[in-house]
Amino acid sequence: MYIFVPMEQTIISKRDLETILLEQKGELLSKSEETLCSRKEEALIDLASPQAQVVIGVRRSGKSTLCFQTLHHIGEPFAYIDFDDERLSGISTAQLNDMLEVLYKIYGSFKYIFLDEIQDVEAWPLFVNRLLRQKIHVLLTGSNAKLLSSDLATHLTGRSSEVSLYPFSFAEYCEMKGVDVATRTTEKIGVRRAAFDDFMEQGGFPELMQIKNRKQYVSNLVDNILKRDIEQRYNISYKAGFEALANHLLNVSPTIVTAKALAEAFSFKSIHTVTNYINYLKQAYVLIGVKKYSAKSKLRAVQEKVYAVDVALMNQREDAFAGDNLGWRLETLVLNHLVRRCKMDGTDVCYFHERYGECDFLVCAGNRVLQCIQVSYDISNEKTRKREVGGLLRASERTGCDHLLLLTDHHYEEFDGNGKKIKIQPVYEWALENN
Protein backbone atom coordinates (compact mmCIF):
# COMPACT_ATOMS: atom_id res chain seq x y z
CA MET A 1 0.00 0.00 0.00
CA TYR A 2 1.29 3.47 -0.87
CA ILE A 3 1.29 5.77 2.17
CA PHE A 4 1.88 9.41 1.34
CA VAL A 5 3.92 11.29 3.92
CA PRO A 6 3.58 15.05 3.36
CA MET A 7 6.90 16.85 3.21
CA GLU A 8 7.57 20.05 5.08
CA GLN A 9 6.64 22.74 2.59
CA THR A 10 8.91 25.62 1.67
CA ILE A 11 7.94 29.16 0.71
CA ILE A 12 10.25 30.70 -1.91
CA SER A 13 10.09 34.33 -2.98
CA LYS A 14 9.31 35.09 -6.62
CA ARG A 15 12.71 36.75 -6.93
CA ASP A 16 14.44 33.55 -5.80
CA LEU A 17 12.19 31.48 -8.06
CA GLU A 18 13.22 33.63 -10.99
CA THR A 19 16.91 33.15 -10.17
CA ILE A 20 16.49 29.37 -9.93
CA LEU A 21 14.47 29.03 -13.14
CA LEU A 22 16.83 31.32 -15.08
CA GLU A 23 19.76 29.12 -14.04
CA GLN A 24 17.84 26.03 -15.09
CA LYS A 25 17.11 27.63 -18.46
CA GLY A 26 20.83 28.21 -18.95
CA GLU A 27 21.63 24.61 -18.06
CA LEU A 28 19.01 23.39 -20.53
CA LEU A 29 20.29 25.59 -23.34
CA SER A 30 23.80 24.23 -22.83
CA LYS A 31 22.46 20.79 -23.80
CA SER A 32 21.94 22.03 -27.36
CA GLU A 33 25.73 22.26 -27.67
CA GLU A 34 26.29 18.67 -26.55
CA THR A 35 26.48 15.60 -28.76
CA LEU A 36 23.30 13.72 -27.92
CA CYS A 37 22.12 10.30 -29.00
CA SER A 38 18.97 9.98 -31.10
CA ARG A 39 16.42 7.72 -29.39
CA LYS A 40 13.71 5.76 -31.21
CA GLU A 41 11.25 6.55 -28.40
CA GLU A 42 11.10 10.15 -29.58
CA ALA A 43 8.68 8.94 -32.27
CA LEU A 44 6.28 7.80 -29.52
CA ILE A 45 5.96 11.29 -28.01
CA ASP A 46 3.00 13.15 -29.52
CA LEU A 47 3.45 16.84 -28.81
CA ALA A 48 0.28 17.66 -30.74
CA SER A 49 -1.81 15.57 -28.36
CA PRO A 50 -4.10 17.14 -25.74
CA GLN A 51 -2.81 14.48 -23.33
CA ALA A 52 0.21 14.96 -21.09
CA GLN A 53 3.16 13.00 -22.47
CA VAL A 54 4.75 11.11 -19.58
CA VAL A 55 8.22 9.61 -19.96
CA ILE A 56 8.93 6.96 -17.35
CA GLY A 57 11.73 4.44 -16.91
CA VAL A 58 14.67 3.37 -14.81
CA ARG A 59 16.75 6.10 -13.21
CA ARG A 60 19.58 7.52 -15.32
CA SER A 61 18.26 6.11 -18.60
CA GLY A 62 18.13 9.54 -20.26
CA LYS A 63 14.48 10.57 -19.77
CA SER A 64 15.25 14.28 -19.40
CA THR A 65 17.53 14.27 -22.44
CA LEU A 66 14.85 12.54 -24.52
CA CYS A 67 12.31 15.20 -23.58
CA PHE A 68 14.74 18.02 -24.36
CA GLN A 69 15.60 16.56 -27.76
CA THR A 70 11.92 16.11 -28.64
CA LEU A 71 11.11 19.71 -27.82
CA HIS A 72 14.30 21.04 -29.38
CA HIS A 73 13.52 19.32 -32.69
CA ILE A 74 10.12 20.99 -33.12
CA GLY A 75 11.75 24.42 -33.00
CA GLU A 76 9.01 25.97 -30.84
CA PRO A 77 9.62 27.90 -27.59
CA PHE A 78 8.99 25.91 -24.43
CA ALA A 79 9.23 26.46 -20.68
CA TYR A 80 11.15 24.22 -18.31
CA ILE A 81 11.18 23.38 -14.60
CA ASP A 82 13.47 20.81 -12.99
CA PHE A 83 11.93 19.85 -9.66
CA ASP A 84 14.94 17.64 -8.87
CA ASP A 85 16.70 20.79 -7.60
CA GLU A 86 17.45 20.97 -3.89
CA ARG A 87 16.39 24.64 -3.88
CA LEU A 88 12.87 23.57 -4.87
CA SER A 89 12.69 20.73 -2.36
CA GLY A 90 9.43 20.81 -0.46
CA ILE A 91 8.03 23.70 -2.46
CA SER A 92 4.48 24.63 -1.50
CA THR A 93 1.70 23.47 -3.81
CA ALA A 94 0.28 26.97 -3.60
CA GLN A 95 3.45 28.30 -5.19
CA LEU A 96 3.05 26.37 -8.43
CA ASN A 97 1.07 29.32 -9.78
CA ASP A 98 3.93 31.63 -8.76
CA MET A 99 6.26 29.42 -10.76
CA LEU A 100 3.98 29.66 -13.77
CA GLU A 101 3.98 33.45 -13.52
CA VAL A 102 7.79 33.50 -13.36
CA LEU A 103 7.99 31.16 -16.36
CA TYR A 104 5.90 33.57 -18.43
CA LYS A 105 8.25 36.38 -17.39
CA ILE A 106 11.33 34.38 -18.41
CA TYR A 107 10.08 32.65 -21.57
CA GLY A 108 7.22 34.86 -22.75
CA SER A 109 4.22 33.03 -24.23
CA PHE A 110 4.66 29.30 -24.73
CA LYS A 111 2.55 26.35 -25.89
CA TYR A 112 4.83 23.66 -24.46
CA ILE A 113 6.15 23.00 -20.99
CA PHE A 114 8.62 20.39 -19.75
CA LEU A 115 8.22 19.39 -16.08
CA ASP A 116 11.16 17.27 -14.95
CA GLU A 117 10.84 14.99 -11.90
CA ILE A 118 7.59 16.56 -10.75
CA GLN A 119 6.37 13.61 -8.69
CA ASP A 120 7.59 14.90 -5.31
CA VAL A 121 5.32 17.96 -5.45
CA GLU A 122 2.06 17.28 -3.66
CA ALA A 123 -1.03 17.77 -5.85
CA TRP A 124 1.06 17.99 -9.03
CA PRO A 125 -1.70 16.30 -11.09
CA LEU A 126 -4.05 19.22 -10.40
CA PHE A 127 -1.40 21.61 -11.74
CA VAL A 128 -0.88 19.47 -14.85
CA ASN A 129 -4.62 19.22 -15.46
CA ARG A 130 -4.89 23.01 -15.25
CA LEU A 131 -2.13 23.43 -17.83
CA LEU A 132 -3.89 20.98 -20.14
CA ARG A 133 -7.16 22.89 -19.81
CA GLN A 134 -5.24 26.00 -20.87
CA LYS A 135 -4.25 24.16 -24.07
CA ILE A 136 -0.59 23.93 -23.04
CA HIS A 137 1.14 20.76 -24.21
CA VAL A 138 2.77 19.09 -21.21
CA LEU A 139 5.80 16.80 -21.27
CA LEU A 140 6.86 15.39 -17.92
CA THR A 141 9.18 12.81 -16.43
CA GLY A 142 9.14 10.90 -13.19
CA SER A 143 11.43 8.53 -11.41
CA ASN A 144 10.41 4.94 -11.57
CA ALA A 145 7.94 3.75 -8.96
CA LYS A 146 7.08 7.28 -7.87
CA LEU A 147 5.11 7.88 -11.04
CA LEU A 148 3.08 4.80 -11.84
CA SER A 149 0.35 4.03 -14.31
CA SER A 150 -2.10 3.72 -11.43
CA ASP A 151 -1.29 7.26 -10.31
CA LEU A 152 -1.70 8.63 -13.82
CA ALA A 153 -5.00 6.85 -14.33
CA THR A 154 -6.31 8.13 -10.99
CA HIS A 155 -5.12 11.71 -11.09
CA LEU A 156 -4.96 12.58 -14.79
CA THR A 157 -8.14 10.63 -15.59
CA GLY A 158 -7.21 9.48 -19.06
CA ARG A 159 -5.38 12.68 -19.93
CA SER A 160 -1.92 11.15 -20.15
CA SER A 161 0.08 9.00 -22.56
CA GLU A 162 3.06 6.99 -21.30
CA VAL A 163 6.38 6.41 -23.03
CA SER A 164 8.79 3.92 -21.45
CA LEU A 165 12.51 4.61 -21.84
CA TYR A 166 15.28 2.07 -21.30
CA PRO A 167 19.09 2.36 -21.26
CA PHE A 168 20.93 2.52 -24.59
CA SER A 169 20.52 -0.18 -27.21
CA PHE A 170 23.64 -1.45 -28.97
CA ALA A 171 22.94 0.83 -31.96
CA GLU A 172 22.71 3.85 -29.65
CA TYR A 173 25.87 2.76 -27.86
CA CYS A 174 27.65 2.62 -31.23
CA GLU A 175 26.34 6.06 -32.16
CA MET A 176 27.76 7.59 -28.99
CA LYS A 177 31.06 5.73 -29.43
CA GLY A 178 31.34 6.74 -33.09
CA VAL A 179 31.34 3.13 -34.28
CA ASP A 180 30.56 2.55 -37.98
CA VAL A 181 27.52 0.25 -38.08
CA ALA A 182 27.11 -0.06 -41.85
CA THR A 183 30.43 -0.68 -43.62
CA ARG A 184 31.03 -4.38 -44.35
CA THR A 185 34.84 -4.41 -44.43
CA THR A 186 36.75 -6.85 -42.23
CA GLU A 187 38.12 -3.97 -40.19
CA LYS A 188 34.73 -2.37 -39.48
CA ILE A 189 33.12 -5.71 -38.62
CA GLY A 190 35.94 -6.40 -36.17
CA VAL A 191 35.49 -2.97 -34.57
CA ARG A 192 31.75 -3.59 -34.19
CA ARG A 193 32.37 -6.96 -32.55
CA ALA A 194 34.81 -5.37 -30.11
CA ALA A 195 32.25 -2.67 -29.33
CA PHE A 196 29.62 -5.33 -28.67
CA ASP A 197 31.93 -7.13 -26.22
CA ASP A 198 32.34 -3.85 -24.35
CA PHE A 199 28.59 -3.21 -24.45
CA MET A 200 27.82 -6.68 -23.11
CA GLU A 201 30.14 -6.03 -20.17
CA GLN A 202 29.34 -2.37 -19.49
CA GLY A 203 25.64 -2.13 -20.29
CA GLY A 204 23.66 0.78 -21.69
CA PHE A 205 23.35 3.41 -18.97
CA PRO A 206 24.45 6.60 -20.77
CA GLU A 207 26.62 8.00 -17.95
CA LEU A 208 28.61 4.76 -17.65
CA MET A 209 30.31 5.68 -20.91
CA GLN A 210 32.10 8.51 -19.09
CA ILE A 211 32.64 6.98 -15.64
CA LYS A 212 35.62 4.89 -14.57
CA ASN A 213 34.28 3.52 -11.27
CA ARG A 214 31.32 1.63 -12.76
CA LYS A 215 30.75 -0.55 -9.73
CA GLN A 216 30.27 2.41 -7.41
CA TYR A 217 27.96 4.13 -9.92
CA VAL A 218 25.73 1.08 -10.36
CA SER A 219 25.72 0.35 -6.62
CA ASN A 220 24.58 3.90 -5.85
CA LEU A 221 21.97 3.70 -8.61
CA VAL A 222 20.46 0.47 -7.28
CA ASP A 223 20.65 1.76 -3.71
CA ASN A 224 18.74 4.93 -4.65
CA ILE A 225 16.06 2.99 -6.48
CA LEU A 226 15.52 0.51 -3.66
CA LYS A 227 15.62 2.99 -0.79
CA ARG A 228 14.25 6.22 -2.26
CA ASP A 229 11.88 5.03 -4.96
CA ILE A 230 10.48 1.83 -3.44
CA GLU A 231 11.00 1.59 0.31
CA GLN A 232 9.81 5.14 0.99
CA ARG A 233 6.89 4.96 -1.39
CA TYR A 234 5.52 1.67 -0.11
CA ASN A 235 6.56 2.15 3.51
CA ILE A 236 8.44 -1.16 3.52
CA SER A 237 9.26 -2.13 7.09
CA TYR A 238 11.43 -5.20 6.45
CA LYS A 239 13.99 -3.26 4.42
CA ALA A 240 16.91 -5.66 4.84
CA GLY A 241 14.85 -8.59 3.57
CA PHE A 242 13.53 -6.62 0.62
CA GLU A 243 17.02 -5.47 -0.40
CA ALA A 244 18.39 -9.00 -0.04
CA LEU A 245 15.62 -10.33 -2.28
CA ALA A 246 16.22 -7.60 -4.89
CA ASN A 247 19.95 -8.27 -5.04
CA HIS A 248 19.37 -12.02 -5.18
CA LEU A 249 17.05 -11.68 -8.19
CA LEU A 250 19.58 -9.48 -9.97
CA ASN A 251 22.31 -12.03 -9.22
CA VAL A 252 20.39 -14.99 -10.64
CA SER A 253 18.48 -13.31 -13.48
CA PRO A 254 17.24 -14.39 -15.90
CA THR A 255 15.23 -16.72 -13.72
CA ILE A 256 11.70 -18.05 -13.30
CA VAL A 257 10.29 -16.66 -10.05
CA THR A 258 8.45 -18.89 -7.62
CA ALA A 259 7.02 -16.80 -4.81
CA LYS A 260 6.65 -19.73 -2.41
CA ALA A 261 10.30 -20.78 -2.73
CA LEU A 262 11.52 -17.19 -2.34
CA ALA A 263 9.31 -16.66 0.72
CA GLU A 264 10.86 -19.70 2.36
CA ALA A 265 14.41 -18.76 1.37
CA PHE A 266 14.14 -15.23 2.78
CA SER A 267 11.86 -16.07 5.73
CA PHE A 268 8.95 -13.93 4.59
CA LYS A 269 5.70 -14.83 6.31
CA SER A 270 3.59 -14.54 3.19
CA ILE A 271 4.07 -15.29 -0.50
CA HIS A 272 1.97 -12.17 -1.13
CA THR A 273 4.82 -10.13 0.33
CA VAL A 274 7.23 -11.64 -2.19
CA THR A 275 4.78 -11.07 -5.03
CA ASN A 276 4.38 -7.42 -4.02
CA TYR A 277 8.14 -6.91 -3.73
CA ILE A 278 8.72 -8.32 -7.21
CA ASN A 279 5.98 -6.08 -8.61
CA TYR A 280 7.63 -3.05 -7.00
CA LEU A 281 10.92 -3.95 -8.67
CA LYS A 282 9.21 -4.26 -12.03
CA GLN A 283 7.35 -0.98 -11.57
CA ALA A 284 10.67 0.68 -10.77
CA TYR A 285 12.15 -0.78 -13.98
CA VAL A 286 14.78 -2.74 -12.06
CA LEU A 287 13.37 -5.98 -13.42
CA ILE A 288 11.48 -6.86 -16.60
CA GLY A 289 8.92 -9.63 -16.37
CA VAL A 290 8.27 -12.07 -19.24
CA LYS A 291 5.15 -14.25 -19.20
CA LYS A 292 5.10 -17.92 -20.10
CA TYR A 293 3.50 -18.75 -23.43
CA SER A 294 0.23 -20.63 -23.03
CA ALA A 295 -3.27 -20.62 -24.45
CA LYS A 296 -4.51 -20.81 -20.84
CA SER A 297 -4.76 -17.49 -19.00
CA LYS A 298 -4.07 -19.13 -15.64
CA LEU A 299 -0.72 -20.49 -16.79
CA ARG A 300 0.31 -17.13 -18.25
CA ALA A 301 -0.28 -15.56 -14.82
CA VAL A 302 2.28 -17.78 -13.06
CA GLN A 303 5.86 -18.85 -13.64
CA GLU A 304 6.95 -15.40 -14.78
CA LYS A 305 10.58 -15.05 -15.83
CA VAL A 306 12.44 -11.92 -14.73
CA TYR A 307 15.40 -10.15 -16.30
CA ALA A 308 17.54 -7.23 -15.19
CA VAL A 309 16.63 -4.05 -17.07
CA ASP A 310 20.30 -3.77 -18.07
CA VAL A 311 23.28 -6.13 -17.85
CA ALA A 312 25.13 -3.57 -15.69
CA LEU A 313 22.77 -4.43 -12.81
CA MET A 314 23.63 -8.12 -12.98
CA ASN A 315 27.16 -8.00 -11.59
CA GLN A 316 28.44 -4.41 -11.50
CA ARG A 317 27.06 -3.82 -8.00
CA GLU A 318 29.16 -3.96 -4.86
CA ASP A 319 28.91 -7.32 -3.10
CA ALA A 320 27.26 -8.84 -6.16
CA PHE A 321 27.91 -12.55 -6.34
CA ALA A 322 26.68 -13.10 -9.87
CA GLY A 323 29.19 -14.83 -12.11
CA ASP A 324 30.17 -13.69 -15.58
CA ASN A 325 27.70 -16.00 -17.29
CA LEU A 326 28.00 -14.84 -20.89
CA GLY A 327 24.94 -16.81 -21.95
CA TRP A 328 22.74 -15.05 -19.39
CA ARG A 329 24.14 -11.66 -20.34
CA LEU A 330 23.55 -12.29 -24.04
CA GLU A 331 20.00 -13.44 -23.36
CA THR A 332 19.36 -10.32 -21.26
CA LEU A 333 20.61 -8.04 -24.04
CA VAL A 334 18.30 -9.75 -26.53
CA LEU A 335 15.30 -9.42 -24.20
CA ASN A 336 16.00 -5.74 -23.56
CA HIS A 337 16.16 -5.14 -27.29
CA LEU A 338 12.94 -7.09 -27.92
CA VAL A 339 11.04 -5.21 -25.22
CA ARG A 340 11.92 -1.87 -26.77
CA ARG A 341 11.04 -3.12 -30.25
CA CYS A 342 7.72 -4.53 -29.06
CA LYS A 343 6.85 -1.20 -27.41
CA MET A 344 7.38 0.45 -30.79
CA ASP A 345 5.31 -1.95 -32.90
CA GLY A 346 2.63 -3.02 -30.41
CA THR A 347 3.65 -6.67 -30.09
CA ASP A 348 4.45 -8.76 -27.01
CA VAL A 349 7.27 -11.05 -25.97
CA CYS A 350 6.94 -14.24 -23.91
CA TYR A 351 8.93 -17.42 -23.33
CA PHE A 352 8.15 -21.03 -24.22
CA HIS A 353 8.80 -23.86 -21.77
CA GLU A 354 7.59 -27.45 -21.88
CA ARG A 355 8.88 -30.76 -20.65
CA TYR A 356 10.34 -31.66 -24.04
CA GLY A 357 11.76 -28.32 -25.07
CA GLU A 358 12.07 -24.63 -24.38
CA CYS A 359 12.59 -21.48 -26.41
CA ASP A 360 13.82 -18.23 -24.93
CA PHE A 361 11.48 -15.79 -26.70
CA LEU A 362 8.31 -15.76 -28.75
CA VAL A 363 7.25 -12.49 -30.37
CA CYS A 364 3.45 -12.40 -30.45
CA ALA A 365 0.69 -10.27 -31.93
CA GLY A 366 -2.34 -11.25 -29.90
CA ASN A 367 -2.52 -15.06 -29.94
CA ARG A 368 -0.44 -15.31 -33.12
CA VAL A 369 3.28 -16.06 -32.79
CA LEU A 370 5.33 -14.05 -35.29
CA GLN A 371 8.83 -15.31 -34.45
CA CYS A 372 10.60 -17.87 -32.28
CA ILE A 373 14.01 -16.76 -30.98
CA GLN A 374 16.58 -18.89 -29.19
CA VAL A 375 19.74 -17.42 -27.62
CA SER A 376 22.96 -19.32 -26.96
CA TYR A 377 26.40 -17.77 -26.55
CA ASP A 378 28.31 -20.66 -28.15
CA ILE A 379 26.88 -23.57 -30.15
CA SER A 380 30.17 -25.15 -31.23
CA ASN A 381 29.41 -28.10 -28.94
CA GLU A 382 27.14 -30.50 -30.87
CA LYS A 383 25.07 -31.32 -27.79
CA THR A 384 24.41 -27.62 -27.16
CA ARG A 385 23.52 -27.01 -30.80
CA LYS A 386 21.11 -29.94 -30.84
CA ARG A 387 19.39 -28.73 -27.66
CA GLU A 388 18.95 -25.17 -28.90
CA VAL A 389 17.71 -26.18 -32.34
CA GLY A 390 15.41 -28.76 -30.76
CA GLY A 391 13.84 -26.05 -28.58
CA LEU A 392 13.19 -23.90 -31.64
CA LEU A 393 11.59 -26.77 -33.52
CA ARG A 394 9.43 -27.70 -30.54
CA ALA A 395 8.21 -24.11 -30.19
CA SER A 396 7.53 -24.01 -33.93
CA GLU A 397 5.53 -27.23 -33.75
CA ARG A 398 3.43 -26.02 -30.82
CA THR A 399 2.80 -22.48 -32.10
CA GLY A 400 2.67 -22.95 -35.86
CA CYS A 401 5.36 -20.31 -36.35
CA ASP A 402 8.03 -21.02 -38.99
CA HIS A 403 10.08 -17.84 -38.53
CA LEU A 404 12.93 -19.37 -36.53
CA LEU A 405 16.06 -17.58 -35.34
CA LEU A 406 19.00 -18.77 -33.24
CA LEU A 407 21.12 -15.90 -31.91
CA THR A 408 24.72 -16.48 -30.84
CA ASP A 409 27.79 -14.43 -30.04
CA HIS A 410 29.54 -14.96 -33.36
CA HIS A 411 28.13 -17.82 -35.46
CA TYR A 412 26.30 -17.25 -38.76
CA GLU A 413 24.53 -19.95 -40.78
CA GLU A 414 21.26 -20.82 -42.51
CA PHE A 415 20.13 -24.43 -42.74
CA ASP A 416 17.12 -26.71 -43.03
CA GLY A 417 15.97 -28.38 -39.81
CA ASN A 418 13.22 -30.97 -40.16
CA GLY A 419 11.93 -29.16 -43.22
CA LYS A 420 12.02 -25.73 -41.61
CA LYS A 421 14.45 -22.93 -42.38
CA ILE A 422 16.52 -21.87 -39.37
CA LYS A 423 18.73 -18.81 -39.36
CA ILE A 424 21.71 -18.51 -37.01
CA GLN A 425 23.04 -14.97 -36.55
CA PRO A 426 25.34 -13.04 -34.18
CA VAL A 427 23.46 -10.82 -31.72
CA TYR A 428 25.50 -7.73 -32.54
CA GLU A 429 24.49 -7.97 -36.21
CA TRP A 430 20.83 -8.77 -35.45
CA ALA A 431 20.55 -5.88 -32.97
CA LEU A 432 21.81 -3.39 -35.54
CA GLU A 433 19.56 -4.72 -38.31
CA ASN A 434 16.50 -4.59 -36.04
CA ASN A 435 17.23 -1.23 -34.43
Side-chain angles (χ1 to χ4, degrees):
M1 178 180 179
Y2 172 33
I3 300 178
F4 178 76
V5 180
M7 296 189 303
E8 183 178 345
Q9 295 194 329
T10 303
I11 303 298
I12 306 174
S13 70
K14 289 184 182 179
R15 182 178 297 276
D16 287 340
L17 280 176
E18 184 175 348
T19 299
I20 295 168
L21 296 180
L22 275 171
E23 289 181 5
Q24 290 187 358
K25 179 182 180 181
E27 293 170 3
L28 191 68
L29 290 175
S30 67
K31 277 187 174 292
S32 61
E33 301 174 0
E34 300 176 10
T35 301
L36 302 176
C37 179
S38 57
R39 309 296 296 268
K40 293 293 184 181
E41 285 78 6
E42 186 175 331
L44 299 177
I45 299 176
D46 183 5
L47 290 177
S49 171
Q51 295 180 309
Q53 303 296 295
V54 186
V55 179
I56 56 178
V58 66
R59 277 183 180 268
R60 317 315 302 169
S61 58
K63 299 186 295 293
S64 300
T65 301
L66 173 67
C67 292
F68 166 75
Q69 286 178 279
T70 303
L71 288 163
H72 182 68
H73 287 159
I74 65 171
E76 295 279 350
F78 65 91
Y80 170 67
I81 308 175
D82 179 9
F83 289 94
D84 194 23
D85 186 320
E86 79 282 355
R87 295 169 294 181
L88 298 180
S89 177
I91 189 168
S92 164
T93 303
Q95 283 206 275
L96 288 173
N97 197 64
D98 292 339
M99 298 186 82
L100 190 58
E101 178 185 324
V102 172
L103 287 176
Y104 279 121
K105 181 180 179 182
I106 293 173
Y107 293 95
S109 296
F110 53 83
K111 295 189 297 182
Y112 304 90
I113 188 169
F114 172 18
L115 306 174
D116 205 1
E117 302 291 352
I118 194 176
Q119 72 282 334
D120 283 329
V121 180
E122 188 179 357
W124 65 264
L126 298 177
F127 179 60
V128 170
N129 271 321
R130 180 154 64 93
L131 294 173
L132 294 174
R133 289 195 301 271
Q134 294 173 0
K135 307 301 181 183
I136 295 175
H137 299 283
V138 180
L139 186 55
L140 60 95
T141 71
S143 288
N144 321 302
K146 290 187 176 182
L147 196 64
L148 301 178
S149 301
S150 56
D151 296 334
L152 299 174
T154 300
H155 299 299
L156 295 183
T157 57
R159 304 195 70 186
S160 66
S161 175
E162 294 177 45
V163 175
S164 297
L165 185 67
Y166 298 86
F168 281 159
S169 67
F170 179 53
E172 292 163 344
Y173 179 86
C174 288
E175 180 181 336
M176 293 303 293
K177 286 286 188 179
V179 175
D180 184 336
V181 300
T183 308
R184 298 293 301 174
T185 64
T186 302
E187 176 190 358
K188 298 302 183 184
I189 291 173
V191 170
R192 286 197 289 275
R193 288 197 57 186
F196 184 76
D197 287 346
D198 291 340
F199 178 67
M200 188 161 67
E201 172 60 28
Q202 174 182 309
F205 284 100
E207 290 177 337
L208 279 181
M209 301 179 73
Q210 303 170 341
I211 291 176
K212 292 183 178 179
N213 192 339
R214 297 173 183 171
K215 184 167 288 188
Q216 183 181 48
Y217 176 90
V218 175
S219 296
N220 290 340
L221 174 64
V222 173
D223 196 55
N224 279 327
I225 295 173
L226 298 185
K227 294 179 178 179
R228 291 179 57 187
D229 295 340
I230 300 179
E231 291 176 1
Q232 289 183 18
R233 176 185 173 88
Y234 295 104
N235 196 30
I236 292 177
S237 55
Y238 189 24
K239 296 179 175 60
F242 166 69
E243 292 169 17
L245 173 65
N247 281 286
H248 168 72
L249 291 173
L250 288 173
N251 286 343
V252 300
S253 67
T255 185
I256 297 174
V257 292
T258 306
K260 182 178 180 181
L262 289 171
E264 293 174 354
F266 289 90
S267 301
F268 293 119
K269 295 180 180 179
S270 168
I271 62 173
H272 298 295
T273 299
V274 174
T275 301
N276 287 338
Y277 284 175
I278 293 172
N279 283 333
Y280 300 159
L281 292 167
K282 290 190 297 180
Q283 290 165 353
Y285 286 80
V286 175
L287 298 176
I288 299 174
V290 179
K291 300 293 186 183
K292 182 178 180 179
Y293 173 81
S294 175
K296 298 179 180 179
S297 177
K298 182 179 180 180
L299 292 180
R300 292 196 301 270
V302 298
Q303 296 185 336
E304 185 177 47
K305 197 171 186 178
V306 296
Y307 291 78
V309 74
D310 188 86
V311 293
L313 303 188
M314 295 173 71
N315 68 344
Q316 294 277 354
R317 311 172 331 277
E318 291 181 1
D319 299 322
F321 291 95
D324 291 324
N325 189 308
L326 298 177
W328 289 358
R329 298 182 79 81
L330 198 68
E331 186 179 332
T332 299
L333 288 179
V334 171
L335 182 276
N336 293 346
H337 185 91
L338 284 173
V339 166
R340 293 185 68 188
R341 196 179 80 182
C342 289
K343 292 278 187 181
M344 297 292 293
D345 61 21
T347 55
D348 297 300
V349 59
C350 57
Y351 76 95
F352 175 84
H353 181 86
E354 289 188 349
R355 181 178 180 182
Y356 298 108
E358 58 184 81
C359 182
D360 293 316
F361 305 116
L362 306 182
V363 179
C364 307
N367 60 2
R368 184 165 59 96
V369 177
L370 305 178
Q371 187 176 31
C372 303
I373 301 175
Q374 193 78 294
V375 185
S376 180
Y377 185 81
D378 184 2
I379 57 170
S380 58
N381 180 282
E382 186 58 33
K383 183 177 180 181
T384 301
R385 179 187 174 104
K386 184 177 180 180
R387 181 187 68 240
E388 303 297 344
V389 171
L392 269 178
L393 293 173
R394 182 65 174 174
S396 174
E397 177 187 341
R398 296 288 286 169
T399 64
C401 174
D402 291 333
H403 188 189
L404 311 181
L405 177 65
L406 173 53
L407 293 171
T408 71
D409 177 61
H410 56 273
H411 194 79
Y412 186 92
E413 180 185 352
E414 290 188 15
F415 69 99
D416 183 274
N418 287 3
K420 296 183 179 181
K421 180 181 176 182
I422 297 177
K423 182 177 182 179
I424 304 177
Q425 187 177 20
V427 172
Y428 80 90
E429 183 179 277
W430 168 82
L432 294 175
E433 288 181 359
N434 290 269
N435 180 39

